[in-house]
Amino acid sequence: MVIEIIPDGPVPAKGLDYLRLGGIHLRTYLNHRAFLTDAEDAQLRQTAVKRVHVAAGFLNVLLANACGSRTPDGEFIDRLAAAVQDLPFLGYLYFEVLSEYLMLHSTTPQTKAYAEAGEMNNRLYKQLAFSAVASMGRLFDLALFGPDHNQLVHLVGQVEPGLAPGAAGYVRRRLPYLFACLALAPSQDATSVTFRNCDFDRLATSASGLLGQLVFREMRRLPRYPQLFPLFEQAKALEVYDYWNTHKIPTPFNGTLPKGEIGVNPASPAVAGCTVWEAETCERGLLHPVEQLDVIFVPRLTDLRSTALGRAAFPRGH
């Protein structure tokens, strides 16, 4: 399909960074935790805290680097790769930082051609993801993204050889700063926070963003998540939808940079006059409109069974 939207004037490239939704995840959980069984609630809290305890050493290294310390690049990447196994959220940060690096620093003719058209080269990070994780084509799960230093250099070299030497240094400089911004509550001073021996309540105060992401991920692993999905996700969706409308975003994207996962805001005046086409693909992989469709956009939560996560994690059952 092709959705053609022609706004009245320039629209800022503004989306919604899913890495920054930890506060919403935590608030939604706290407001609706009564809908969980006691066992489910205890499991969420205990597992989230346990993951932080296991990875506490490296999490403190992240904060130290964000505040000016400098862990050697190779050592940092190797420790990051090991920590992803205990704290999968770090895989998302790792991937997003590398995506930034590739898109912002690539100098290939293809990247320059996209730049001339006002676009970023999205093929770079996709190639990286599919090369790093064999199953990424079936379910795009960044919790599995954790190449060590040698693998990182090799993977980036496959995408664009000239960028391989600087990849580890960029991740070492950028990821700790991003983590501190995403993980800690806005009132927290990164120099005074430690992750050792933290309990749930302390994390909720000092690292609400991180705790929210952990609780959200663990909830998605509950056997009863298909039944809980409408309740918890609708509450978050309404907050997100309100943000789109307040900031008058017609085509919101989901990430640190406008790459993939573009949405359509039905409340935007620009969307009211949009045109939707059924399209076909040519030999170059480009889409060409064929037949115009009569489509109405509805602000409604998608059924879990229609999502990649639902099909992969809950293939059977009512």
Side-chain angles (χ1 to χ4, degrees), residues 80-146:
L80 169 62
V84 168
Q85 301 176 39
D86 299 316
L87 206 67
F89 179 61
L90 293 177
Y92 291 77
L93 270 65
Y94 192 1
F95 174 76
E96 292 293 346
V97 168
L98 281 174
S99 297
E100 288 181 4
Y101 177 66
L102 293 173
M103 288 191 290
L104 297 176
H105 293 81
S106 173
T107 59
T108 66
Q110 187 179 47
T111 298
K112 292 179 179 179
Y114 289 146
E116 291 278 333
E119 298 181 2
M120 289 183 168
N121 188 352
N122 285 274
R123 294 176 181 268
L124 299 169
Y125 67 82
K126 292 178 181 178
Q127 182 181 343
L128 179 77
F130 294 141
S131 298
V133 182
S135 62
M136 205 67 94
R138 295 189 297 275
L139 178 65
F140 204 84
D141 186 1
L142 294 175
L144 304 176
F145 186 84

Side-chain angles (χ1 to χ4, degrees), residues 44-233:
L44 290 181
R45 298 167 79 91
Q46 292 169 6
T47 305
V49 172
K50 181 179 179 180
R51 288 191 181 279
V52 172
H53 286 172
V54 173
F58 181 68
L59 297 182
N60 286 340
V61 168
L62 286 177
L63 292 184
N65 277 262
C67 295
S69 297
R70 182 169 181 174
T71 303
D73 296 344
E75 176 188 339
F76 180 89
I77 298 299
D78 285 340
R79 293 191 65 178
L80 169 62
V84 168
Q85 301 176 39
D86 299 316
L87 206 67
F89 179 61
L90 293 177
Y92 291 77
L93 270 65
Y94 192 1
F95 174 76
E96 292 293 346
V97 168
L98 281 174
S99 297
E100 288 181 4
Y101 177 66
L102 293 173
M103 288 191 290
L104 297 176
H105 293 81
S106 173
T107 59
T108 66
Q110 187 179 47
T111 298
K112 292 179 179 179
Y114 289 146
E116 291 278 333
E119 298 181 2
M120 289 183 168
N121 188 352
N122 285 274
R123 294 176 181 268
L124 299 169
Y125 67 82
K126 292 178 181 178
Q127 182 181 343
L128 179 77
F130 294 141
S131 298
V133 182
S135 62
M136 205 67 94
R138 295 189 297 275
L139 178 65
F140 204 84
D141 186 1
L142 294 175
L144 304 176
F145 186 84
D148 62 23
H149 180 256
N150 289 336
Q151 293 170 327
L152 171 62
V153 174
H154 175 69
L155 289 169
V156 175
Q158 287 182 316
V159 176
E160 189 168 335
L163 296 181
Y170 184 90
V171 174
R172 204 282 307 165
R173 293 189 302 273
R174 172 74 169 126
L175 195 145
Y177 171 77
L178 183 61
F179 174 79
C181 292
L182 299 173
L184 302 185
S187 61
Q188 294 299 305
D189 180 353
T191 61
S192 63
V193 174
T194 179
F195 288 98
R196 294 196 182 278
N197 302 319
C198 281
D199 59 20
F200 192 94
D201 292 338
R202 185 175 171 188
L203 286 171
T205 300
S206 62
S208 54
L210 176 62
L211 182 60
Q213 294 284 3
L214 295 176
V215 168
F216 171 54
R217 179 167 182 82
E218 293 306 321
M219 184 176 294
R220 290 167 63 178
R221 297 162 61 91
L222 292 175
R224 208 163 60 93
Y225 182 63
Q227 290 79 52
L228 299 170
F229 172 82
L231 174 71
F232 284 88
E233 300 310 321

Side-chain angles (χ1 to χ4, degrees), residues 1-48:
M1 298 177 68
V2 169
I3 302 172
E4 183 180 21
I5 299 173
I6 304 177
D8 294 333
V11 177
K14 191 171 187 180
L16 187 81
D17 184 356
Y18 75 101
L19 296 177
R20 296 180 182 272
L21 296 182
I24 291 180
H25 292 320
L26 181 61
R27 185 166 60 252
T28 303
Y29 157 73
L30 293 175
N31 289 340
H32 296 81
R33 60 182 293 207
F35 290 91
L36 300 169
T37 67
D38 290 344
E40 289 169 340
D41 189 48
Q43 178 182 338
L44 290 181
R45 298 167 79 91
Q46 292 169 6
T47 305

